[in-house]
Amino acid sequence: MADTPSNEPRLAPVAPSSRPVSEALLNDKWDRAISSAVIRGSLGLSFGVVFSVLLFKRRKWPALVGLGFGLGRAYEEADVAFKNGPTRSGTNGMRLVRS
């Protein structure tokens, strides 16, 4: 009885993550792609709205063009991320070129 004190809660052993590393990398890339699309799309839309109000007499097309530019940029970054394999930290988003 002296070995196991009754006051302390018993902790269950923690199971290792069942997801493979490749699935975790893919999930991280999807998370980054979706967050980039939301951020860049909203920034493009907001710049389009500002230009629409200031320069184009409140037309709709500058806002839609800004949204398209933002989403296009996000799509391009996601395409590069999915084609290049695992991301490397410390490069600040720049591609490494080996000669």
Side-chain angles (χ1 to χ4, degrees):
M1 290 212 177
D3 295 357
T4 58
S6 61
N7 297 358
E8 295 181 18
R10 301 182 96 188
L11 298 176
V14 177
S17 177
S18 61
R19 288 191 316 187
V21 175
S22 60
E23 184 178 345
L25 287 174
L26 188 61
N27 287 342
D28 289 342
K29 287 181 184 182
W30 271 109
D31 289 343
R32 187 176 298 253
I34 291 171
S35 66
S36 176
V38 168
I39 291 169
R40 292 186 187 279
S42 62
L43 282 175
L45 181 66
S46 62
F47 276 112
V49 167
V50 168
F51 282 129
S52 173
V53 169
L54 294 179
L55 299 175
F56 296 110
K57 299 180 184 177
R58 297 187 181 170
R59 303 280 185 207
K60 188 189 317 183
W61 65 268
L64 295 177
V65 168
L67 177 66
F69 278 134
L71 291 178
R73 178 69 180 152
Y75 175 80
E76 187 65 31
E77 285 184 3
D79 190 39
V80 167
F82 281 112
K83 286 183 180 178
N84 282 349
T87 58
R88 297 180 184 152
S89 60
T91 59
N92 294 330
M94 297 171 42
R95 237 188 295 177
L96 297 176
V97 178
R98 294 185 182 145
S99 46

